[in-house]
């Protein structure tokens, strides 16, 4: 597959103005070493998540284009919510997240709204919220005293009981989750109108 660097390089690719509202990697103080690597990896995956929303209307951003429930706007809302939650976990520990083993139907319904564009929501608003959360995460990466600081994970069926994650491990998880959903976003956009992020 041939890659067009103007498309794939976050530093050179033109994005919608809304997607650039707060460039995440520039929001934090200058850092070097491991923290710079984490910020660079996160910035690249954020670009690939945002890029499939280029030139879309609010209606298009809310359309389900595959057999699943996902839409592009809802996908970015979900990543925003997840990143916000994990960053707060780094700051305050498992109390930042719910007990996933005790969720009610109402809790599940509220959580499902993170995957949808709700009435009155706009793509510009969704992207701006993501940029704001990204900027706060980047500042946390730059200023956190110790990446080795760890907390017990929240209760959830998908976590090993009693496991702990360091701030570093949480940040790697944020990068991985953003990358996974960037792939979903690419599929959703290609299913919508044939546009691709790469190739």
């Amino acid at each position: 597959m041939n890659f067009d660097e103007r498309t794939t390089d976050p530093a050179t690719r033109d994005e919608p103005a809304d997607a650039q509202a707060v460039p995440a990697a520039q929001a934090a103080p200058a850092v070097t070493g491991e923290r710079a690597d984490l910020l660079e990896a996160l910035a690249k995956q954020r670009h690939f998540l945002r890029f499939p929303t280029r030139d879309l209307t609010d209606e298009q951003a809310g359309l389900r284009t595959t057999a699943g429930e996902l839409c592009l706007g809802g996908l970015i809302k979900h990543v925003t919510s997840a990143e916000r939650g994990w960053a707060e976990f780094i700051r305050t520990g498992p109390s930042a997240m719910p007990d996933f083993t005790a969720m009610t139907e109402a809790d599940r319904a509220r959580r499902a709204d993170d995957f949808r564009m709700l009435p009155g929501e706009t793509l510009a608003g969704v992207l701006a919220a993501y940029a704001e959360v990204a900027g706060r995460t980047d500042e946390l990466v730059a200023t956190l005293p110790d990446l080795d600081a760890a907390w017990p994970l929240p209760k959830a069926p998908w976590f090993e009981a009693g496991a702990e994650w360091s701030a570093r491990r949480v940040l790697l998880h944020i990068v991985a989750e953003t990358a996974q959903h960037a792939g979903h976003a690419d599929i959703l956009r290609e299913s919508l109108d044939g546009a691709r992020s790469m190739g």
Side-chain angles (χ1 to χ4, degrees):
M1 182 182 294
N2 294 322
F3 297 116
D4 180 346
E5 286 301 318
R6 291 169 303 166
T7 299
T8 61
D9 183 356
T12 59
R13 176 61 201 164
D14 291 332
E15 291 186 59
D18 295 327
Q20 294 182 2
V22 180
Q26 296 173 14
V31 295
T32 59
E34 178 184 19
R35 293 172 194 245
D37 290 344
L38 286 167
L39 290 175
E40 182 180 352
L42 194 45
K44 186 169 191 173
Q45 298 312 320
R46 286 176 180 145
H47 162 78
F48 284 122
L49 178 66
R50 291 187 311 260
F51 187 64
T53 68
R54 68 198 180 281
D55 304 322
L56 293 184
T57 65
D58 295 337
E59 180 182 8
Q60 288 172 314
L63 290 176
R64 292 169 47 197
T65 61
T66 65
E69 295 288 326
L70 294 175
C71 67
L72 281 161
L75 191 62
I76 293 174
K77 281 178 60 181
H78 166 66
V79 175
T80 301
S81 176
E83 183 170 324
R84 182 188 299 115
W86 280 115
E88 189 59 26
F89 173 87
I90 290 173
R91 290 185 191 94
T92 64
S95 63
M97 294 189 173
D99 178 349
F100 292 100
T101 64
M103 291 182 72
T104 66
E105 286 304 314
D107 294 331
R108 288 185 185 85
R110 280 190 295 275
R111 191 166 166 81
D113 284 344
D114 278 348
F115 292 89
R116 292 191 275 268
M117 291 279 285
L118 301 177
E121 291 182 334
T122 65
L123 179 58
V126 166
L127 289 168
Y130 184 43
E132 182 181 347
V133 167
R136 288 200 303 265
T137 301
D138 289 354
E139 184 177 0
L140 177 65
V141 173
T143 59
L144 193 69
D146 185 6
L147 292 178
D148 289 323
W151 295 101
L153 288 173
K155 290 183 181 178
W158 50 86
F159 291 136
E160 179 185 346
E164 291 188 351
W165 278 8
S166 67
R168 177 185 295 100
R169 176 66 185 85
V170 172
L171 293 167
L172 290 170
H173 176 73
I174 293 171
V175 172
E177 180 155 337
T178 306
Q180 177 183 9
H181 290 311
H184 292 149
D186 201 29
I187 291 167
L188 291 169
R189 179 59 190 267
E190 188 171 358
S191 299
L192 176 66
D193 62 5
R196 296 193 218 169
S197 296
M198 297 189 294

